[in-house]
Amino acid sequence: MTDSLGGAVWSIAIDDNGTTLAAGCEDGSVRLFDISENNNIVYKKTLIGDKARILSVSWQRSSNNLVTGSTHGVIRKWNVTTGILI
């Protein structure tokens, strides 16, 4: 068990490689966790958006891009490697 570090988790998605879990959090962030080893969940990084709850997350197939939707009605596309909105 691991704390999300961002409050309640409203959505999760696992990348195509099965190694990274993205958690859409109450505080408006997306927390990334490494899930590749020994059933452990290890924090990697935070993608910071606005303060709106993240209701949906989805990985773009075969890429390092993640798409999120929030309670403010905003859809964002992230480059997970750089943490930058694209």
Side-chain angles (χ1 to χ4, degrees):
M1 184 168 35
T2 299
D3 189 327
S4 75
L5 308 171
V9 174
W10 290 91
S11 55
I12 59 171
I14 298 172
D15 70 347
D16 282 347
N17 297 325
T19 58
T20 303
L21 178 133
C25 297
E26 178 76 25
D27 69 355
S29 68
V30 177
R31 297 299 205 282
L32 301 175
F33 297 89
D34 184 325
I35 57 170
S36 63
E37 295 189 32
N38 302 324
N39 296 323
N40 291 326
I41 302 171
V42 179
Y43 171 79
K44 287 174 64 171
K45 75 167 64 171
T46 300
L47 305 176
I48 299 177
D50 58 22
K51 298 298 179 189
R53 177 184 306 149
I54 303 297
L55 295 177
S56 58
V57 293
S58 180
W59 290 92
Q60 186 174 7
R61 292 197 175 204
S62 303
S63 74
N64 284 323
N65 297 332
L66 185 72
V67 179
T68 62
S70 73
T71 55
H72 282 173
V74 175
I75 298 169
R76 289 188 164 91
K77 186 174 179 181
W78 305 84
N79 178 304
V80 173
T81 303
T82 64
I84 295 173
L85 287 168
I86 52 177

